[in-house]
Amino acid sequence: MSISRTQAVISLEGARRAIAGSFAKAEELGVPVNIAVADAAGNLVSFDRMDGAALMSASIAQDKAVSVVSFNGLPTHKWMELFAGDDESVGKGIPLRPGLVIFGGGIPIVVDGELIGAVGCSGGTSEEDRAIAEAGAAAVAA
């Protein structure tokens, strides 16, 4: 059994593509957002704050990206589905974890079937943030 493994992670060029794809979608929607890209280990690779984006949502965008890679690529909007009807976990457990975000805007970046990072967007509604992050992830996979 091996004591190490090789893991692909998003490069700066890949992160810049994700930022550009997200930025284009945000402009199309007219929503100023913060956009963060983390690698598969949860390290911030790139970050942009659009003019007019809320300052507080900068850290939320970063937390969304890290939340995705911390749970093996689970998009942040999927959390509520997982805990539907489980009031104990939703009310007292999972959402109270520092840095964990359980609403839309965190999307995995998968290339050749491997999680290499994630995009986190914050500044719009949960649905807008999700669409913007999805555009960023798609820009990398294209």
Side-chain angles (χ1 to χ4, degrees):
M1 181 160 103
S2 177
I3 61 168
S4 67
R5 64 184 173 92
T6 302
Q7 180 178 19
V9 295
I10 194 164
S11 66
L12 178 58
E13 177 58 32
R16 287 179 174 159
R17 287 182 191 181
I19 296 278
S22 293
F23 194 95
K25 185 65 172 180
E27 283 192 318
E28 175 188 318
L29 296 175
V31 179
V33 294
N34 293 278
I35 307 163
V37 179
D39 67 18
N43 301 300
L44 183 65
V45 178
S46 191
F47 173 81
D48 272 5
R49 180 173 174 250
M50 296 176 72
D51 293 339
L55 181 59
M56 179 78 59
S57 60
S59 60
I60 296 170
Q62 293 174 39
D63 287 346
K64 287 179 181 184
V66 173
S67 293
V68 171
V69 296
S70 295
F71 286 92
N72 302 316
L74 181 68
T76 56
H77 66 274
K78 293 287 188 180
W79 278 99
M80 295 310 285
E81 293 173 25
L82 287 177
F83 293 108
D86 185 355
D87 294 335
E88 187 71 20
S89 292
V90 174
K92 297 180 182 173
I94 292 294
L96 301 180
R97 296 292 307 155
L100 177 65
V101 179
I102 62 167
F103 50 88
I107 297 294
I109 301 172
V110 178
V111 174
D112 296 329
E114 187 170 1
L115 177 68
I116 64 166
V119 181
C121 292
S122 184
T125 65
S126 182
E127 293 79 19
E128 289 167 336
D129 289 352
R130 176 181 171 185
I132 294 165
E134 286 173 341
V140 177

